[in-house]
Amino acid sequence: MRPWPPELAVRVAWFAIAAGFLVRAYLSATNFLNADEVLHLLKIEGPGWAGAMQVAGHGHPPFHLLAVNATLTLFGRSEFSLRLPSLLAGGILIWLAYRWMSAVAGRTAGAVAAIVFAALHAAIVLAAEVRDYSIALCFAAASLFAFERAVRQDRRYWLVLSGVFAGLMLFTEFVMAIFAVALGLYALARLASLGFPRRIAGFWAAGQALAGVTGVAIYFAYLYRTGAGGGVGRGMRGGYLRHWFLQPGGSFPDFAWRNTVEFFSYSFGSHPAGWIALALFAAGCWLAWQRDRPLLVLLLAPFVLGIGAASAGVLPYGGSRHTAYGILSAAAGVCLPLAGIARWRPKPFLAGAAALGSLLYATASYDSWFIPRPNQRVSMIRDAIAYLRESVPPEGVVFVTGQGWQTLGYYLGPDPNLTIAEMAGLPVTYRSNLAVASLFNWSPSPSTFLSAYGEWRRKMPKDTQVWVFDAGWDTNLATGIRRDYPQLNLVGLRMFGTHVSVFRAPNVSVQAQPPAGR
Protein backbone atom coordinates (compact mmCIF):
# COMPACT_ATOMS: atom_id res chain seq x y z
CA MET A 1 0.00 0.00 0.00
CA ARG A 2 1.55 3.23 -1.18
CA PRO A 3 1.07 6.57 0.58
CA TRP A 4 -1.06 9.20 -1.06
CA PRO A 5 0.64 11.57 -3.47
CA PRO A 6 1.66 14.76 -1.67
CA GLU A 7 -0.79 16.86 -3.72
CA LEU A 8 -3.76 14.66 -2.74
CA ALA A 9 -2.85 14.64 0.96
CA VAL A 10 -2.47 18.43 1.02
CA ARG A 11 -5.75 19.04 -0.84
CA VAL A 12 -7.70 16.66 1.40
CA ALA A 13 -6.17 18.12 4.54
CA TRP A 14 -6.92 21.74 3.63
CA PHE A 15 -10.45 20.87 2.53
CA ALA A 16 -11.03 19.18 5.90
CA ILE A 17 -9.52 22.15 7.75
CA ALA A 18 -11.73 24.62 5.86
CA ALA A 19 -14.88 22.52 6.26
CA GLY A 20 -14.23 21.92 9.96
CA PHE A 21 -13.62 25.61 10.60
CA LEU A 22 -16.77 26.67 8.73
CA VAL A 23 -18.93 24.24 10.71
CA ARG A 24 -17.49 25.58 13.97
CA ALA A 25 -17.92 29.18 12.82
CA TYR A 26 -21.56 28.56 11.87
CA LEU A 27 -22.34 27.08 15.29
CA SER A 28 -20.46 29.88 17.04
CA ALA A 29 -22.61 32.47 15.29
CA THR A 30 -26.01 30.75 15.45
CA ASN A 31 -26.13 28.91 18.82
CA PHE A 32 -27.40 30.83 21.82
CA LEU A 33 -25.13 31.15 24.84
CA ASN A 34 -25.77 28.57 27.54
CA ALA A 35 -25.64 29.50 31.21
CA ASP A 36 -22.01 28.43 31.71
CA GLU A 37 -20.90 30.55 28.79
CA VAL A 38 -22.64 33.59 30.25
CA LEU A 39 -20.81 33.02 33.53
CA HIS A 40 -17.51 33.46 31.69
CA LEU A 41 -18.74 36.80 30.37
CA LEU A 42 -19.91 37.96 33.80
CA LYS A 43 -16.49 37.13 35.20
CA ILE A 44 -14.81 39.74 33.03
CA GLU A 45 -17.47 42.17 31.79
CA GLY A 46 -17.27 44.34 34.89
CA PRO A 47 -13.69 44.04 36.19
CA GLY A 48 -12.12 43.30 32.79
CA TRP A 49 -8.47 42.20 32.85
CA ALA A 50 -8.37 42.13 36.64
CA GLY A 51 -11.38 39.81 36.72
CA ALA A 52 -9.83 37.51 34.14
CA MET A 53 -6.79 37.00 36.37
CA GLN A 54 -8.89 35.93 39.37
CA VAL A 55 -9.89 32.29 39.76
CA ALA A 56 -12.51 32.83 42.49
CA GLY A 57 -15.93 31.96 41.18
CA HIS A 58 -14.46 30.51 37.98
CA GLY A 59 -12.12 27.66 38.93
CA HIS A 60 -9.87 27.76 35.85
CA PRO A 61 -6.52 29.34 34.97
CA PRO A 62 -6.87 32.74 33.31
CA PHE A 63 -5.55 32.49 29.73
CA HIS A 64 -8.95 31.84 28.16
CA LEU A 65 -10.63 34.70 30.01
CA LEU A 66 -7.79 37.02 28.97
CA ALA A 67 -8.40 36.05 25.34
CA VAL A 68 -12.18 36.50 25.67
CA ASN A 69 -11.67 39.88 27.31
CA ALA A 70 -9.58 40.92 24.29
CA THR A 71 -12.26 39.94 21.77
CA LEU A 72 -14.94 41.50 24.00
CA THR A 73 -13.00 44.78 23.97
CA LEU A 74 -12.33 44.67 20.22
CA PHE A 75 -15.57 43.25 18.80
CA GLY A 76 -18.30 43.57 21.43
CA ARG A 77 -20.39 41.02 23.31
CA SER A 78 -21.98 39.04 20.47
CA GLU A 79 -22.04 35.25 20.63
CA PHE A 80 -19.50 35.02 17.81
CA SER A 81 -17.13 37.51 19.43
CA LEU A 82 -17.14 35.73 22.79
CA ARG A 83 -16.55 32.36 21.12
CA LEU A 84 -13.88 33.64 18.73
CA PRO A 85 -10.84 32.51 20.81
CA SER A 86 -12.21 28.96 21.05
CA LEU A 87 -13.17 29.00 17.36
CA LEU A 88 -9.72 30.08 16.17
CA ALA A 89 -8.08 27.50 18.43
CA GLY A 90 -10.42 24.82 17.08
CA GLY A 91 -9.44 25.59 13.49
CA ILE A 92 -5.72 25.68 14.28
CA LEU A 93 -6.08 22.37 16.14
CA ILE A 94 -7.14 20.60 12.92
CA TRP A 95 -4.06 21.97 11.12
CA LEU A 96 -1.73 21.01 13.97
CA ALA A 97 -3.19 17.48 14.07
CA TYR A 98 -2.52 17.19 10.33
CA ARG A 99 1.09 18.36 10.67
CA TRP A 100 1.83 16.27 13.74
CA MET A 101 0.38 13.03 12.37
CA SER A 102 2.17 13.64 9.07
CA ALA A 103 5.45 13.77 10.97
CA VAL A 104 4.67 10.70 13.08
CA ALA A 105 2.95 8.36 10.62
CA GLY A 106 3.24 9.85 7.14
CA ARG A 107 1.27 12.24 4.97
CA THR A 108 -1.68 9.87 4.47
CA ALA A 109 -2.16 9.58 8.24
CA GLY A 110 -1.85 13.36 8.46
CA ALA A 111 -4.66 13.90 5.96
CA VAL A 112 -6.78 11.32 7.77
CA ALA A 113 -6.10 13.15 11.06
CA ALA A 114 -7.40 16.38 9.50
CA ILE A 115 -10.61 14.58 8.53
CA VAL A 116 -11.04 12.96 11.96
CA PHE A 117 -10.41 16.14 13.93
CA ALA A 118 -12.63 18.20 11.60
CA ALA A 119 -15.56 15.84 12.26
CA LEU A 120 -14.81 15.02 15.92
CA HIS A 121 -17.90 15.81 18.00
CA ALA A 122 -16.07 16.91 21.14
CA ALA A 123 -13.70 19.16 19.18
CA ILE A 124 -16.62 20.78 17.33
CA VAL A 125 -18.65 21.44 20.48
CA LEU A 126 -15.72 22.78 22.51
CA ALA A 127 -14.64 25.09 19.66
CA ALA A 128 -18.14 26.61 19.45
CA GLU A 129 -18.51 27.47 23.14
CA VAL A 130 -17.10 30.09 25.50
CA ARG A 131 -14.84 27.56 27.24
CA ASP A 132 -11.13 27.03 27.63
CA TYR A 133 -10.81 23.41 26.48
CA SER A 134 -10.44 24.14 22.75
CA ILE A 135 -7.57 26.55 23.43
CA ALA A 136 -5.92 24.06 25.80
CA LEU A 137 -6.17 21.30 23.17
CA CYS A 138 -4.64 23.63 20.59
CA PHE A 139 -1.66 24.31 22.85
CA ALA A 140 -1.33 20.57 23.56
CA ALA A 141 -1.21 19.79 19.84
CA ALA A 142 1.26 22.64 19.29
CA SER A 143 3.51 21.20 21.98
CA LEU A 144 3.39 17.77 20.33
CA PHE A 145 4.12 19.21 16.90
CA ALA A 146 7.04 21.30 18.17
CA PHE A 147 8.55 18.29 19.94
CA GLU A 148 8.21 16.08 16.87
CA ARG A 149 9.75 18.73 14.65
CA ALA A 150 12.69 19.07 17.02
CA VAL A 151 13.59 15.39 17.33
CA ARG A 152 12.99 14.45 13.68
CA GLN A 153 14.69 17.48 12.11
CA ASP A 154 17.27 18.18 14.85
CA ARG A 155 15.84 21.62 15.54
CA ARG A 156 16.73 21.95 19.18
CA TYR A 157 15.09 25.28 19.91
CA TRP A 158 11.72 23.72 19.02
CA LEU A 159 12.08 21.68 22.20
CA VAL A 160 12.00 24.87 24.24
CA LEU A 161 9.01 26.01 22.19
CA SER A 162 7.32 22.70 23.00
CA GLY A 163 7.76 23.50 26.67
CA VAL A 164 6.34 26.99 26.15
CA PHE A 165 3.21 25.56 24.53
CA ALA A 166 2.88 22.99 27.33
CA GLY A 167 3.08 25.81 29.87
CA LEU A 168 0.40 27.78 28.01
CA MET A 169 -1.76 24.64 27.99
CA LEU A 170 -1.55 24.51 31.79
CA PHE A 171 -2.15 28.27 31.96
CA THR A 172 -5.44 27.61 30.14
CA GLU A 173 -6.97 24.49 31.77
CA PHE A 174 -5.78 22.61 34.85
CA VAL A 175 -7.19 19.17 33.87
CA MET A 176 -4.65 19.14 31.03
CA ALA A 177 -2.02 18.38 33.66
CA ILE A 178 -2.83 14.74 32.85
CA PHE A 179 -1.80 15.30 29.25
CA ALA A 180 1.29 17.23 30.32
CA VAL A 181 2.51 14.16 32.22
CA ALA A 182 1.61 11.91 29.28
CA LEU A 183 3.54 14.20 26.94
CA GLY A 184 6.57 14.03 29.23
CA LEU A 185 6.44 10.22 29.25
CA TYR A 186 6.11 10.15 25.47
CA ALA A 187 9.09 12.48 25.09
CA LEU A 188 11.21 10.29 27.35
CA ALA A 189 10.24 7.19 25.36
CA ARG A 190 10.99 8.92 22.05
CA LEU A 191 14.34 10.25 23.23
CA ALA A 192 15.22 6.85 24.68
CA SER A 193 14.51 5.24 21.30
CA LEU A 194 17.01 7.71 19.80
CA GLY A 195 19.64 7.01 22.47
CA PHE A 196 19.15 10.33 24.29
CA PRO A 197 21.17 12.43 21.83
CA ARG A 198 23.14 15.05 23.73
CA ARG A 199 22.38 17.75 21.18
CA ILE A 200 18.73 17.88 22.12
CA ALA A 201 18.39 16.31 25.58
CA GLY A 202 19.44 19.52 27.35
CA PHE A 203 17.02 21.65 25.36
CA TRP A 204 14.21 19.20 26.11
CA ALA A 205 15.02 19.41 29.83
CA ALA A 206 14.88 23.22 29.62
CA GLY A 207 11.48 23.11 27.98
CA GLN A 208 10.19 20.65 30.55
CA ALA A 209 11.50 22.82 33.37
CA LEU A 210 9.67 25.80 31.90
CA ALA A 211 6.41 23.88 31.68
CA GLY A 212 6.92 22.52 35.19
CA VAL A 213 7.52 25.96 36.67
CA THR A 214 4.36 27.19 34.94
CA GLY A 215 2.36 24.32 36.37
CA VAL A 216 3.65 24.90 39.91
CA ALA A 217 3.01 28.65 39.64
CA ILE A 218 -0.55 28.04 38.46
CA TYR A 219 -1.18 25.62 41.30
CA PHE A 220 -0.05 28.00 44.01
CA ALA A 221 -1.45 31.15 42.38
CA TYR A 222 -4.86 29.83 41.37
CA LEU A 223 -5.65 26.57 43.09
CA TYR A 224 -3.81 26.34 46.40
CA ARG A 225 -4.29 30.04 47.26
CA THR A 226 -8.05 29.88 46.74
CA GLY A 227 -8.52 26.46 48.29
CA ALA A 228 -9.50 25.00 44.94
CA GLY A 229 -6.54 22.65 44.86
CA GLY A 230 -8.29 20.12 47.04
CA GLY A 231 -11.78 21.40 46.48
CA VAL A 232 -11.89 20.84 42.73
CA GLY A 233 -11.73 17.08 43.04
CA ARG A 234 -13.94 16.93 46.14
CA GLY A 235 -16.59 19.21 44.66
CA MET A 236 -16.82 17.27 41.40
CA ARG A 237 -16.52 13.88 43.08
CA GLY A 238 -19.62 14.40 45.18
CA GLY A 239 -21.55 16.52 42.69
CA TYR A 240 -22.68 16.38 39.10
CA LEU A 241 -19.51 14.53 37.97
CA ARG A 242 -19.69 11.83 40.62
CA HIS A 243 -20.13 9.13 37.96
CA TRP A 244 -16.71 9.99 36.59
CA PHE A 245 -14.97 9.16 39.89
CA LEU A 246 -14.45 5.73 41.42
CA GLN A 247 -16.75 5.80 44.43
CA PRO A 248 -16.01 3.95 47.70
CA GLY A 249 -16.89 0.30 47.30
CA GLY A 250 -17.01 0.54 43.51
CA SER A 251 -15.48 -2.01 41.17
CA PHE A 252 -12.25 -0.70 39.65
CA PRO A 253 -12.35 -2.88 36.47
CA ASP A 254 -16.01 -1.99 35.89
CA PHE A 255 -15.32 1.71 36.44
CA ALA A 256 -12.30 1.75 34.10
CA TRP A 257 -14.08 -0.10 31.29
CA ARG A 258 -17.46 1.66 31.56
CA ASN A 259 -15.98 5.14 31.70
CA THR A 260 -13.58 4.47 28.84
CA VAL A 261 -16.56 3.53 26.68
CA GLU A 262 -18.36 6.67 27.88
CA PHE A 263 -15.33 8.81 27.03
CA PHE A 264 -15.23 7.53 23.44
CA SER A 265 -19.00 7.95 23.14
CA TYR A 266 -18.69 11.57 24.27
CA SER A 267 -15.71 12.32 22.04
CA PHE A 268 -17.30 10.87 18.89
CA GLY A 269 -20.88 11.95 19.59
CA SER A 270 -22.89 8.78 20.23
CA HIS A 271 -22.66 5.29 21.68
CA PRO A 272 -22.48 3.51 18.28
CA ALA A 273 -19.76 5.91 17.10
CA GLY A 274 -17.97 5.48 20.44
CA TRP A 275 -17.87 1.71 20.13
CA ILE A 276 -16.53 1.90 16.56
CA ALA A 277 -13.92 4.46 17.61
CA LEU A 278 -12.84 2.33 20.57
CA ALA A 279 -12.34 -0.68 18.28
CA LEU A 280 -10.31 1.46 15.87
CA PHE A 281 -8.30 2.84 18.78
CA ALA A 282 -7.46 -0.69 19.93
CA ALA A 283 -6.29 -1.49 16.40
CA GLY A 284 -4.24 1.72 16.44
CA CYS A 285 -2.55 0.67 19.68
CA TRP A 286 -1.65 -2.67 18.12
CA LEU A 287 -0.17 -0.89 15.08
CA ALA A 288 1.81 1.43 17.35
CA TRP A 289 3.16 -1.59 19.25
CA GLN A 290 4.33 -3.08 15.96
CA ARG A 291 5.78 0.09 14.40
CA ASP A 292 6.33 2.89 16.90
CA ARG A 293 6.34 1.95 20.57
CA PRO A 294 7.03 5.46 21.89
CA LEU A 295 3.79 6.52 20.18
CA LEU A 296 1.99 3.75 22.08
CA VAL A 297 3.03 5.49 25.30
CA LEU A 298 1.29 8.66 24.17
CA LEU A 299 -1.84 6.77 23.12
CA LEU A 300 -2.29 4.95 26.41
CA ALA A 301 -0.76 7.25 29.05
CA PRO A 302 -3.65 9.77 29.31
CA PHE A 303 -6.13 6.97 29.94
CA VAL A 304 -3.97 5.16 32.48
CA LEU A 305 -3.22 8.43 34.29
CA GLY A 306 -6.85 9.57 34.05
CA ILE A 307 -8.19 6.34 35.53
CA GLY A 308 -5.63 6.61 38.32
CA ALA A 309 -6.54 10.25 39.03
CA ALA A 310 -10.25 9.45 39.10
CA SER A 311 -9.67 6.49 41.38
CA ALA A 312 -7.76 8.78 43.76
CA GLY A 313 -10.54 11.37 43.62
CA VAL A 314 -8.34 14.04 42.02
CA LEU A 315 -9.78 14.56 38.52
CA PRO A 316 -12.72 13.02 36.63
CA TYR A 317 -12.52 10.32 33.98
CA GLY A 318 -15.44 9.60 31.70
CA GLY A 319 -17.79 11.03 29.13
CA SER A 320 -17.53 14.78 29.59
CA ARG A 321 -15.44 17.77 28.56
CA HIS A 322 -13.59 17.47 31.88
CA THR A 323 -11.70 14.52 30.34
CA ALA A 324 -10.49 16.59 27.38
CA TYR A 325 -6.94 15.48 28.21
CA GLY A 326 -7.63 12.21 26.36
CA ILE A 327 -9.06 13.63 23.13
CA LEU A 328 -5.78 13.99 21.21
CA SER A 329 -4.61 10.48 22.04
CA ALA A 330 -8.00 8.92 21.27
CA ALA A 331 -8.26 10.59 17.88
CA ALA A 332 -4.62 9.81 17.01
CA GLY A 333 -5.16 6.14 17.80
CA VAL A 334 -8.23 6.05 15.56
CA CYS A 335 -6.27 7.64 12.70
CA LEU A 336 -3.66 4.88 12.45
CA PRO A 337 -5.89 2.03 11.15
CA LEU A 338 -7.95 4.48 9.10
CA ALA A 339 -4.75 5.60 7.37
CA GLY A 340 -4.13 1.99 6.36
CA ILE A 341 -7.59 1.79 4.81
CA ALA A 342 -7.03 5.13 3.09
CA ARG A 343 -3.77 3.91 1.49
CA TRP A 344 -5.51 0.74 0.30
CA ARG A 345 -8.60 2.36 -1.27
CA PRO A 346 -8.24 6.17 -1.41
CA LYS A 347 -11.40 7.07 -3.36
CA PRO A 348 -13.83 4.78 -1.49
CA PHE A 349 -12.27 5.94 1.78
CA LEU A 350 -12.81 9.62 0.98
CA ALA A 351 -16.40 9.02 -0.12
CA GLY A 352 -17.11 7.01 3.00
CA ALA A 353 -15.39 9.57 5.24
CA ALA A 354 -17.52 12.39 3.79
CA ALA A 355 -20.75 10.43 4.24
CA LEU A 356 -19.90 9.10 7.70
CA GLY A 357 -18.61 12.47 8.94
CA SER A 358 -21.84 14.16 7.88
CA LEU A 359 -23.89 11.41 9.52
CA LEU A 360 -21.98 11.67 12.80
CA TYR A 361 -22.39 15.45 12.82
CA ALA A 362 -26.13 15.20 12.19
CA THR A 363 -26.80 12.45 14.75
CA ALA A 364 -24.51 13.52 17.62
CA SER A 365 -26.55 13.00 20.78
CA TYR A 366 -24.41 11.63 23.59
CA ASP A 367 -23.29 14.59 25.69
CA SER A 368 -25.73 15.35 28.52
CA TRP A 369 -24.31 18.92 28.63
CA PHE A 370 -24.91 19.36 24.92
CA ILE A 371 -28.13 20.89 23.65
CA PRO A 372 -29.01 19.31 20.26
CA ARG A 373 -28.05 21.72 17.51
CA PRO A 374 -31.56 22.27 16.08
CA ASN A 375 -32.68 23.31 19.57
CA GLN A 376 -29.99 25.91 20.31
CA ARG A 377 -30.60 28.53 17.66
CA VAL A 378 -30.27 32.14 18.79
CA SER A 379 -33.64 32.90 17.19
CA MET A 380 -35.33 30.62 19.73
CA ILE A 381 -34.11 32.67 22.67
CA ARG A 382 -35.04 35.93 20.98
CA ASP A 383 -38.54 34.62 20.17
CA ALA A 384 -38.93 33.40 23.75
CA ILE A 385 -38.02 36.81 25.17
CA ALA A 386 -40.37 38.54 22.74
CA TYR A 387 -43.19 36.25 23.87
CA LEU A 388 -42.25 36.89 27.51
CA ARG A 389 -42.51 40.64 27.00
CA GLU A 390 -45.89 40.26 25.35
CA SER A 391 -47.23 38.05 28.15
CA VAL A 392 -45.95 39.58 31.39
CA PRO A 393 -48.03 42.57 32.55
CA PRO A 394 -46.24 45.70 33.88
CA GLU A 395 -46.79 44.61 37.48
CA GLY A 396 -45.89 40.96 36.78
CA VAL A 397 -42.77 39.03 37.75
CA VAL A 398 -40.57 36.61 35.80
CA PHE A 399 -39.43 33.61 37.88
CA VAL A 400 -36.23 31.82 36.82
CA THR A 401 -33.73 29.20 38.00
CA GLY A 402 -30.00 29.88 38.19
CA GLN A 403 -29.42 28.67 34.63
CA GLY A 404 -32.41 30.53 33.27
CA TRP A 405 -31.31 33.76 34.89
CA GLN A 406 -27.85 33.66 33.28
CA THR A 407 -29.21 33.17 29.78
CA LEU A 408 -32.10 35.62 30.19
CA GLY A 409 -29.80 38.24 31.68
CA TYR A 410 -27.43 38.10 28.72
CA TYR A 411 -30.16 38.36 26.09
CA LEU A 412 -31.98 41.17 27.86
CA GLY A 413 -28.76 43.09 27.37
CA PRO A 414 -27.00 45.73 29.47
CA ASP A 415 -29.29 48.18 31.25
CA PRO A 416 -27.84 51.38 32.75
CA ASN A 417 -30.92 51.65 34.96
CA LEU A 418 -30.60 48.14 36.37
CA THR A 419 -31.61 47.87 40.04
CA ILE A 420 -31.61 44.95 42.47
CA ALA A 421 -34.03 44.58 45.37
CA GLU A 422 -35.54 41.85 47.52
CA MET A 423 -39.01 40.42 47.00
CA ALA A 424 -40.38 37.88 49.48
CA GLY A 425 -36.88 36.66 50.36
CA LEU A 426 -35.50 36.35 46.83
CA PRO A 427 -33.32 38.79 44.89
CA VAL A 428 -35.24 40.58 42.15
CA THR A 429 -33.50 42.38 39.31
CA TYR A 430 -35.30 45.16 37.50
CA ARG A 431 -33.89 45.43 34.00
CA SER A 432 -35.27 46.18 30.56
CA ASN A 433 -38.74 46.80 32.07
CA LEU A 434 -38.94 43.31 33.56
CA ALA A 435 -38.83 42.24 37.21
CA VAL A 436 -36.91 38.96 37.40
CA ALA A 437 -36.89 36.86 40.59
CA SER A 438 -34.18 34.20 40.67
CA LEU A 439 -33.79 30.99 42.65
CA PHE A 440 -30.32 30.26 43.96
CA ASN A 441 -30.68 26.67 42.75
CA TRP A 442 -28.79 26.23 39.48
CA SER A 443 -30.85 23.40 38.02
CA PRO A 444 -33.68 22.24 40.33
CA SER A 445 -35.88 19.23 39.69
CA PRO A 446 -39.59 19.93 39.03
CA SER A 447 -40.46 19.05 42.63
CA THR A 448 -37.71 21.26 44.08
CA PHE A 449 -38.69 24.11 41.79
CA LEU A 450 -42.40 23.89 42.65
CA SER A 451 -41.65 23.67 46.36
CA ALA A 452 -39.40 26.75 46.28
CA TYR A 453 -41.78 28.64 44.05
CA GLY A 454 -44.77 27.75 46.23
CA GLU A 455 -43.04 28.96 49.39
CA TRP A 456 -42.10 32.24 47.68
CA ARG A 457 -45.54 32.66 46.09
CA ARG A 458 -47.35 32.45 49.43
CA LYS A 459 -45.47 35.54 50.58
CA MET A 460 -46.48 37.52 47.49
CA PRO A 461 -49.69 39.52 46.84
CA LYS A 462 -52.31 37.17 45.44
CA ASP A 463 -52.94 39.29 42.36
CA THR A 464 -49.28 39.21 41.23
CA GLN A 465 -48.99 37.46 37.89
CA VAL A 466 -45.85 35.28 37.68
CA TRP A 467 -44.35 33.84 34.52
CA VAL A 468 -41.50 31.32 34.24
CA PHE A 469 -38.59 31.44 31.81
CA ASP A 470 -36.37 28.37 31.64
CA ALA A 471 -33.31 27.55 29.53
CA GLY A 472 -30.60 25.02 30.41
CA TRP A 473 -29.00 21.68 29.58
CA ASP A 474 -31.23 19.49 31.68
CA THR A 475 -34.81 18.45 31.05
CA ASN A 476 -36.77 21.66 30.64
CA LEU A 477 -38.93 22.59 33.62
CA ALA A 478 -42.10 22.66 31.53
CA THR A 479 -41.37 19.17 30.19
CA GLY A 480 -40.59 17.86 33.69
CA ILE A 481 -43.65 19.43 35.31
CA ARG A 482 -45.99 18.06 32.64
CA ARG A 483 -44.42 14.63 33.06
CA ASP A 484 -44.44 14.51 36.87
CA TYR A 485 -47.45 16.73 37.59
CA PRO A 486 -49.97 16.25 34.77
CA GLN A 487 -52.70 17.74 36.96
CA LEU A 488 -51.02 21.16 36.85
CA ASN A 489 -52.13 23.44 34.04
CA LEU A 490 -49.28 25.42 32.49
CA VAL A 491 -51.21 28.36 31.09
CA GLY A 492 -49.66 30.10 28.10
CA LEU A 493 -46.96 27.46 27.64
CA ARG A 494 -44.74 27.98 24.62
CA MET A 495 -41.76 25.74 23.87
CA PHE A 496 -38.90 27.09 21.78
CA GLY A 497 -37.12 23.90 20.87
CA THR A 498 -36.66 21.32 23.61
CA HIS A 499 -34.68 23.38 26.12
CA VAL A 500 -36.33 26.82 26.24
CA SER A 501 -39.82 27.44 27.59
CA VAL A 502 -42.06 30.27 28.78
CA PHE A 503 -45.24 29.65 30.78
CA ARG A 504 -47.38 31.16 33.48
CA ALA A 505 -46.43 29.75 36.88
CA PRO A 506 -48.93 27.05 37.92
CA ASN A 507 -51.15 26.95 40.96
CA VAL A 508 -48.95 24.75 43.16
CA SER A 509 -51.67 24.34 45.79
CA VAL A 510 -53.43 21.83 43.52
CA GLN A 511 -51.16 19.00 44.65
CA ALA A 512 -47.81 19.11 46.42
CA GLN A 513 -46.57 15.64 45.42
CA PRO A 514 -46.32 13.92 42.05
CA PRO A 515 -48.75 11.06 41.39
CA ALA A 516 -47.91 7.59 42.71
CA GLY A 517 -45.38 5.74 40.62
CA ARG A 518 -43.65 8.90 39.44
Side-chain angles (χ1 to χ4, degrees), residues 32-116:
F32 65 76
L33 294 185
N34 63 49
D36 263 15
E37 293 181 277
V38 177
L39 281 177
H40 288 73
L41 172 63
L42 295 178
K43 178 66 180 172
I44 59 175
E45 194 167 33
W49 300 102
M53 292 297 293
Q54 297 297 320
V55 75
H58 180 62
H60 298 275
F63 185 89
H64 170 243
L65 287 183
L66 293 171
V68 172
N69 189 71
T71 57
L72 175 67
T73 303
L74 292 172
F75 308 115
R77 66 197 306 271
S78 70
E79 296 90 351
F80 188 83
S81 170
L82 297 173
R83 291 165 172 158
L84 186 58
S86 296
L87 169 63
L88 294 176
I92 295 171
L93 171 63
I94 306 172
W95 179 80
L96 287 169
Y98 157 61
R99 295 298 304 273
W100 174 66
M101 283 300 293
S102 296
V104 171
R107 57 179 175 264
T108 306
V112 170
I115 296 172
V116 170

Side-chain angles (χ1 to χ4, degrees), residues 407-469:
T407 303
L408 180 62
Y410 171 79
Y411 284 99
L412 287 178
D415 184 352
N417 299 315
L418 181 146
T419 58
I420 301 176
E422 182 180 333
M423 183 182 294
L426 285 181
V428 175
T429 303
Y430 296 88
R431 64 187 302 167
S432 303
N433 299 318
L434 285 175
V436 184
S438 174
L439 282 177
F440 294 108
N441 196 314
W442 183 252
S443 180
S445 65
S447 60
T448 302
F449 173 82
L450 291 175
S451 175
Y453 167 71
E455 181 179 351
W456 175 80
R457 188 69 179 85
R458 285 189 290 273
K459 302 175 184 177
M460 294 289 296
K462 292 184 178 180
D463 59 347
T464 302
Q465 193 174 129
V466 182
W467 284 73
V468 176
F469 173 91

Side-chain angles (χ1 to χ4, degrees), residues 127-142:
E129 289 188 336
V130 187
R131 297 191 189 277
D132 50 24
Y133 299 98
S134 182
I135 299 175
L137 286 171
C138 181
F139 283 137

Side-chain angles (χ1 to χ4, degrees), residues 176-420:
M176 295 301 288
I178 295 287
F179 187 80
V181 176
L183 178 58
L185 294 174
Y186 166 64
L188 283 173
R190 179 68 71 195
L191 292 174
S193 70
L194 300 173
F196 280 105
R198 293 181 180 180
R199 288 174 55 84
I200 60 177
F203 283 85
W204 175 77
Q208 292 301 296
L210 182 62
V213 168
T214 303
V216 172
I218 289 171
Y219 176 80
F220 283 102
Y222 289 98
L223 298 179
Y224 178 82
R225 180 172 58 84
T226 62
V232 169
R234 287 196 301 270
M236 293 189 294
R237 186 171 67 244
Y240 67 104
L241 291 178
R242 59 188 177 278
H243 298 299
W244 309 139
F245 288 89
L246 180 62
Q247 299 296 325
S251 168
F252 176 81
D254 178 67
F255 170 82
W257 170 248
R258 183 187 69 247
N259 285 24
T260 299
V261 172
E262 296 296 329
F263 168 79
F264 277 86
S265 298
Y266 160 73
S267 298
F268 290 85
S270 67
H271 282 295
W275 279 105
I276 295 171
L278 184 55
L280 289 171
F281 178 78
C285 290
W286 181 82
L287 290 173
W289 171 261
Q290 296 292 319
R291 304 172 184 173
D292 188 353
R293 293 188 181 180
L295 180 59
L296 181 63
V297 174
L298 181 67
L299 298 183
L300 293 178
F303 299 99
V304 174
L305 294 169
I307 292 170
S311 300
V314 178
L315 290 172
Y317 175 75
S320 83
R321 61 183 180 271
H322 307 86
T323 319
Y325 54 77
I327 289 176
L328 290 180
S329 295
V334 167
C335 290
L336 294 178
L338 288 180
I341 299 173
R343 294 187 192 98
W344 178 45
R345 291 287 189 270
K347 292 182 179 179
F349 172 82
L350 289 174
L356 185 59
S358 301
L359 179 64
L360 290 177
Y361 171 79
T363 59
S365 59
Y366 169 78
D367 187 3
S368 58
W369 295 292
F370 164 66
I371 301 173
R373 297 180 183 107
N375 296 297
Q376 200 181 351
R377 296 194 300 272
V378 172
S379 59
M380 293 178 172
I381 287 287
R382 301 197 187 282
D383 291 344
I385 292 178
Y387 177 62
L388 191 68
R389 290 188 180 280
E390 295 173 3
S391 304
V392 180
E395 70 282 359
V397 178
V398 181
F399 199 80
V400 295
T401 64
Q403 286 192 75
W405 164 235
Q406 301 297 339
T407 303
L408 180 62
Y410 171 79
Y411 284 99
L412 287 178
D415 184 352
N417 299 315
L418 181 146
T419 58
I420 301 176

Side-chain angles (χ1 to χ4, degrees), residues 399-401 403 439 441-455 468 470 473-488 490 495 498 501 503 505-509 511-515 518:
F399 199 80
V400 295
T401 64
Q403 286 192 75
L439 282 177
N441 196 314
W442 183 252
S443 180
S445 65
S447 60
T448 302
F449 173 82
L450 291 175
S451 175
Y453 167 71
E455 181 179 351
V468 176
D470 188 45
W473 295 286
D474 310 287
T475 300
N476 188 269
L477 274 176
T479 303
I481 291 172
R482 288 194 296 177
R483 178 196 63 210
D484 296 346
Y485 299 86
Q487 75 280 11
L488 294 179
L490 302 185
M495 297 291 299
T498 56
S501 66
F503 56 93
N507 180 5
V508 294
S509 63
Q511 186 174 350
Q513 298 296 327
R518 294 279 180 179

